[in-house]
Every structure is written in structure tokens, then in C-alpha cells.
Amino acid sequence: MTITNGDARGLLSSNTEFLDHTKALEVLEKEYPERDGLDIETLLDSDKHGALTYNDFLILPGYIGFPASDVTLETPVTKRISLKTPLLSSPMDTVTEHNMAIHMALLGGLGVIHHNCSPEDQAEMVRKVKRYENGFILDPVVISPKTTVAEVRKLKATWGFGGFPVTEKGTLRSKLVGIVTSRDIQFHNNDDDEVTKVMSTDLITAPAGTTLAEANQVLRDSKKGKLPIVDSEGNLVSLLSRSDLTKNLHYPLASKLPHSKQLIAAAAIGTREADKERLKLLVDAGLDIVVLDSSQGNSVYQLEMLKWIKQNFPQIDVIAGNVVTREQAANLIAAGADGLRIGMGSGSACITQEVMAVGRPQALAVHRVASFAARFGVPCIADGGIQNVGHIVKGLAMGASTVMMGGLLAGTTESPGEYFVSNNGQLVKAYRGMGSIDAMEDKKAAGKSGKDSKASNAGTARYFSEKDRVLVAQGVSGSVVDRGSVTKFVPYLIAGIQHSLQDIGVRSIKELHDGVYNKTIRFEMRSGSAQAEGNVHGLHSYEKKLYS
Ligand code: IMP
């Protein structure tokens, strides 16, 4: 090997003198006052290069001075409520029911329960989220001594847990007489027997007034699954559950309001008169955040609804939308929106832009709205078009505080519906736009059947007006591949975002926003061939395994 001095001359002329290497930073500062890459305004100058979406640009790397695990993702979802991770699941009937909402909240995000169902069913789902994880369960499901084994089996299937206290009257604040657990009924072969035949009566209880720490200790020592808390007369006042203790250990990021042990519950409603009644039921069930679900949120209906909610339920945070322009956003912010949802036509099952000729490419839409809303302290959700971790980070870099996902989560175990095998042998789950003919016809059929609560009150009003004689689809109906459980998938997304922010050189979403705002975080446009280069290319075959 020969070593020459001229090897690194590159684009310099052959007689240029090399500079002293120790002066590299000084030279950079003096001679290159403009940072490498584009600032956000230049990147998004739509006069120059059209309106951009996530795949059209990249974020330039910064300096890594900390481990990825140091990156925190705490972020506001409304003016008053913050989450530990910026991930939301969409209010769609193939994405978010109570099971998804519970798991998204346990993992530090939020699932918004859809409203394509009766108000009673939706309220029941909210109730399940609020009851799911508690220190003391203040409103446990209680049964009476007359309840049959068959009824207990049904309750277990409905609630997803199997330990029920038995009181004389079958209500809270009545004398505790026993507890029936899954194990008690598992092999009992007479379903008509009353629970008194199978329940345990050697009860360990704790007195009302016991602290959570003390009660936890009793539960640990007793090796029982449930600890009933009773008053001085032996009446049941609350319940503590061992599985909740372990859940607390396993879900350190869980979304809860300060001073509450319950998960945060969010649900969507429409903007019709009947939705006011629906909201009352949801609030009774414990709702914390309501999402006004319209594809075009800048309407007299939404503004009136927003004001009505603010007047009647000031304790509930309202996320309004969807919007893609500053002007739309300004109306909703002025009417009191606590958060905004941004996106029109970017959803994976969406044909709005094609059919209605309205919408906006998502990266630009997010930036235009979020940078305006930030001036009023209103956090924004980048909703739709998220296909991978990179898109999440780009949505956040455009100014969003959180992202909302439909298709990406629809293939998980926690979404509604069963898996089935597609024609090419892959395991898939159904996923449909709420403006697809399928989803709208479900509502219309219910409407004609005259079953009122399920019918005129079911929710696809987002895309369909009762007087419409012809249904115009804004979405499609299809399927998405199996993604396993969100308990694995969401931690993968979180770790991916942490690594990405580390590459960019920021320790938090706040630092990301600050860096983009003060133009220290830089971007680059991506040509078509740059996009091809950034994807796997030139391999004969490969398997794309995203995490293990
Ligand atoms: P995805 O994550 O790309 O699948 O997009 C989910 C988002 O698409 C939802 O949160 C809605 O904003 C939007 N969306 C849902 N259904 C429809 C539809 O039928 N047409 C247009 N957009 C839809």
C-alpha cells in the first residue's frame, strides 16, 4: 500500500493547499454560515416544488450525544391532557373498540372509540376502559347470591375478567357473602346452579380506609386474586385486584390523569342533535376526551356542537377537525377546540381527494395547521397516511404533537374482528374506510330497520348525510396483514421513534419542535430516484422483518 498526500483532494484543484484539520469547526462556522440542508419554510415552499407529503423529504441527521433510551416522548394531546407516547388509534369500526382503547392507553397512547354503533354500546366501551385498571375499583361488577353459573360465564365473556364479589342485594354497599372466580366455575357442570354452590366464603378482606400500599400488601400476603374492601358492617365498598397490581408494574407509561388510577378514555361523536344525547351517555360512563368526527370540520354544525359541549361539559376536552388549512383551524380554535385533528384524503383507505377534489398533501397540511395552532397552545394530531415509524417522526417534525393511525393498527390482535386467510395464504383482518359503501350501508340498513338507537344514531355521519339518496363513497373496504399484538407493535414504534430522534440529535418531541422552529433541524427533498435509493433495492429476494 502506498500512502500519498493527495488522496483526499476530491473536487479541489490540484494546487489547493490543505487546511489545518484542527480548524474544521472554525472554517465551518466562518465560511458556511448557512446550515447544510433546507429549513422548514424552504422545504415546504409549495410555489417552488409543489405540496409535499411524508415520502417527499427526509430529515438530516444531527449529533448523537446520548443513548436512544434517554429520549422521552411525552406530549400533549389536548390543551389539558398529556400522554407519554404520541400514538393514537383512529375512531374506525375496524380499529378502535374497548380492547384497542385499553391497550393503547396502557402503552402510553390513546385509542379513540368509534361511533358506528348505538350510543349505549359506545358508552359501555367507555365504561370498560375506565374500569379496566384501577387501584381500588370503586364500581366493581357485583352479583347476587341468586346469579347462576351460566350468568357468571356470560359476565366473564362480557367483561373479560372472572372474579365477582357476591353481596346480599347484588349491589355495592350491601353485605359481602362471597366471591366467585373463574376457577370456581371452570369445571362446574350444572350451569343452572346458583353461585352460592361454587363461591368461596373464606374471605380475606380489608377495612375501608386502608391505604393502597397496605391493601397491596394484604393482597400479596393472602395470595388471593381479589381483595374486597368492606365497611364496619361488612358491606362491600370497593375491590382491589391482583392483576391490576401486575398491570401497574408492566405498563409504566399508562395514560392516566394525575391523581387518577383510571385509564384516559376518548371517543368520537358526530355533530347532529342526536349526538348530544350520545355524549351525555359517554360522559356518564366516564369519558375524558371527545373527538368531533367530521372529514371537513369547518362547518356550522361542528362550531355549534363545540360551543354546546364547552357550555354543558366544561370538564370534557374537545378535539375538533378534521382540518388542513389555517382558515379552517382558526374557526375551531376560536370556538374553543382543545386539540385539532389534521388530515383530509391522506388515509390509507381513503378516496376523498380523488372523488371530492378536496384535501391537501399531509406533510404540508400538518405544518400549516400545527404551526398556526401552536400560537394558541392547541396541540395537533397528524391523522392518516402513517405507514411506518419514519412517517410518525415526520408528522411530529411538521409540528404535530401526536399521530393517529388506522390501517397500521387494524391488523393487530386488539382491533375488532377476526383474522382470516386471504387468497394468497396470508393472515389478514378487514379494514375499511368509514366513508366506504360498506360502512355507510351498515348505517343505512340499520336506519331502515327502524331499530332506533342502533340506527339513526349510529355514526358514519362523518361521510353520509341522512337525506342522501345516492351514497358517494369516500373510502374503500379491504384488508390488512396480521401485525400481532399492539403490546409488541407499539413498543416497537416507540423504540423506533426514540432511535430516530436520537439520529436527529434531540431528546424529546419538544426539542424536535424547537429545532424545526429555530431552523437548526434541517431537511432535504427526495427525488423519485432518491426514494427508490432509500428503499431496499438490487436484492434477489429478502424478508422484511421489522422487529423481534
Ligand atoms: P390510515 O392510518 O392511513 O389508515 O388513516 C386513518 C384515517 O383515515 C382516519 O383516522 C380518518 O381520518 C381517515 N378515514 C377513515 N375512513 C375514511 C374514509 O372512508 N375516507 C377518507 N378518510 C377516511
Side-chain angles (χ1 to χ4, degrees):
M1 183 171 75
T2 49
I3 298 175
T4 70
N5 245 344
D7 280 351
R9 196 164 296 277
L11 299 177
L12 296 177
S13 81
S14 55
N15 51 11
T16 308
E17 287 280 314
F18 286 128
L19 303 176
D20 173 1
H21 75 275
T22 62
K23 300 275 188 301
L25 291 174
E26 216 176 284
V27 171
L28 178 75
E29 203 179 310
K30 268 203 199 132
E31 297 184 26
Y32 301 83
E34 271 284 292
R35 275 185 176 250
D36 209 351
L38 306 175
D39 65 66
I40 183 85
E41 297 304 337
T42 314
L43 174 79
L44 293 180
D45 184 347
S46 52
D47 284 353
K48 267 202 194 127
H49 25 240
L52 304 191
T53 195
Y54 298 139
N55 285 335
D56 294 321
F57 69 94
L58 287 171
I59 306 170
L60 293 186
Y63 172 70
I64 298 178
F66 49 87
S69 56
D70 272 12
V71 175
T72 58
L73 300 180
E74 178 137 15
T75 189
V77 64
T78 65
K79 280 184 193 167
R80 294 184 287 197
I81 299 178
S82 285
L83 305 174
K84 296 232 169 56
T85 68
L87 306 172
L88 271 58
S89 68
S90 180
M92 300 171 76
D93 60 6
T94 47
V95 181
T96 312
E97 293 193 337
H98 58 279
N99 199 21
M100 179 67 82
I102 287 168
H103 285 90
M104 288 301 289
L106 285 173
L107 294 159
L110 193 66
V112 183
I113 296 169
H114 75 85
H115 57 120
N116 207 19
C117 57
S118 73
E120 293 76 15
D121 287 351
Q122 195 186 15
E124 201 49 45
M125 292 193 252
V126 168
R127 203 162 282 124
K128 285 181 181 170
V129 175
K130 295 307 291 183
R131 273 185 202 232
Y132 184 74
E133 189 188 18
N134 297 298
F136 293 106
I137 306 168
L138 299 174
D139 56 348
V141 181
V142 182
I143 58 176
S144 88
K146 295 246 166 292
T147 311
T148 63
V149 169
E151 284 166 336
V152 174
R153 286 194 210 286
K154 246 199 211 149
L155 283 174
K156 181 171 185 283
T158 311
W159 288 101
F161 53 78
F164 303 106
V166 186
T167 65
E168 277 177 0
K169 292 190 198 146
T171 60
L172 204 62
R173 305 196 186 284
S174 154
K175 197 162 170 41
L176 180 72
V177 291
I179 273 205
V180 62
T181 65
S182 307
R183 236 179 276 158
D184 297 328
I185 57 166
Q186 192 176 14
F187 301 114
H188 192 82
N189 49 20
N190 189 351
D191 268 11
D192 295 330
D193 277 346
E194 290 176 355
V195 284
T196 41
K197 280 230 163 133
V198 293
M199 71 187 186
S200 327
T201 48
D202 62 328
L203 302 174
I204 292 180
T205 61
T210 308
T211 66
L212 188 60
E214 288 162 354
N216 281 346
Q217 197 51 50
V218 179
L219 197 53
R220 277 199 196 98
D221 296 343
S222 72
K223 305 211 164 45
K224 301 256 183 202
K226 299 268 187 300
L227 177 67
I229 311 292
V230 292
D231 65 16
S232 52
E233 272 119 54
N235 296 318
L236 179 71
V237 291
S238 66
L239 191 70
L240 195 69
S241 150
R242 176 184 292 277
S243 58
D244 287 337
L245 288 184
T246 45
K247 272 174 231 150
N248 270 321
L249 293 180
H250 289 142
Y251 297 106
L253 301 176
S255 302
K256 296 172 184 171
L257 294 177
H259 316 301
S260 162
K261 296 291 285 176
Q262 296 181 319
L263 297 177
I264 296 174
I269 62 169
T271 52
R272 301 203 180 153
E273 242 351 83
D275 287 295
K276 294 181 177 170
E277 289 307 309
R278 177 184 287 266
L279 182 62
K280 284 180 191 157
L281 293 184
L282 301 180
V283 173
D284 282 348
L287 190 74
D288 301 295
I289 299 175
V290 66
V291 173
L292 298 181
D293 193 24
S294 311
S295 56
Q296 208 293 45
N298 187 24
S299 69
V300 60
Y301 315 109
Q302 184 154 149
L303 291 172
E304 277 172 7
M305 184 61 119
L306 185 47
K307 287 180 193 154
W308 182 84
I309 299 173
K310 287 277 133 198
Q311 265 164 16
N312 290 280
F313 299 103
Q315 78 280 19
I316 300 291
D317 279 11
V318 188
I319 295 176
N322 281 27
V323 293
V324 289
T325 69
R326 276 194 291 264
E327 288 74 17
Q328 287 179 297
N331 266 337
L332 297 172
I333 292 171
D338 298 298
L340 288 176
R341 195 171 156 207
I342 307 170
M344 190 174 198
S346 57
S348 60
C350 171
I351 53 173
T352 301
Q353 294 184 1
E354 184 186 321
V355 177
M356 317 298 276
V358 288
R360 200 172 202 185
Q362 184 67 349
L364 183 71
V366 172
H367 182 259
R368 289 294 186 261
V369 174
S371 55
F372 180 71
R375 302 186 63 187
F376 308 90
V378 176
C380 290
I381 303 167
D383 171 26
I386 301 289
Q387 291 167 357
N388 49 45
V389 177
H391 289 170
I392 296 176
V393 176
K394 288 175 179 178
L396 298 173
M398 291 298 103
S401 296
T402 55
V403 300
M404 180 175 272
M405 297 162 289
L408 204 62
L409 297 173
T412 59
T413 325
E414 288 75 9
S415 72
E418 298 302 322
Y419 287 105
F420 59 96
V421 180
S422 70
N423 291 342
N424 65 3
Q426 267 193 309
L427 200 56
V428 293
K429 258 194 181 185
Y431 178 54
R432 65 185 189 182
M434 297 312 296
S436 64
I437 294 291
D438 269 8
M440 290 192 295
E441 270 182 355
D442 271 2
K443 169 175 162 52
K444 212 165 189 180
K448 278 188 187 143
S449 76
K451 282 185 260 157
D452 210 47
S453 66
K454 248 212 151 40
S456 53
N457 248 349
T460 39
R462 179 181 166 101
Y463 297 98
F464 157 64
S465 141
E466 210 79 315
K467 294 188 192 95
D468 285 356
R469 262 173 293 156
V470 179
L471 294 178
V472 178
Q474 288 191 50
V476 300
S477 176
S479 60
V480 289
V481 293
D482 170 27
R483 287 195 188 276
S485 167
V486 290
T487 57
K488 292 254 161 59
F489 188 58
V490 167
Y492 154 70
L493 297 179
I494 293 171
I497 302 168
Q498 286 178 308
H499 280 280
S500 168
L501 295 200
Q502 183 197 31
D503 276 350
I504 297 167
V506 292
R507 289 171 193 262
S508 66
I509 294 172
K510 165 102 179 53
E511 278 188 24
L512 177 70
H513 287 168
D514 289 348
V516 172
Y517 178 78
N518 65 30
K519 303 187 176 175
T520 52
I521 290 177
R522 311 293 281 189
F523 300 90
E524 207 62 273
M525 288 286 297
R526 244 176 145 198
S527 65
S529 46
Q531 292 185 36
E533 178 190 67
N535 282 317
V536 181
H537 53 273
L539 272 68
H540 166 60
S541 65
Y542 68 95
E543 185 198 1
K544 198 167 178 181
K545 201 172 167 200
L546 290 175
Y547 60 96
S548 72

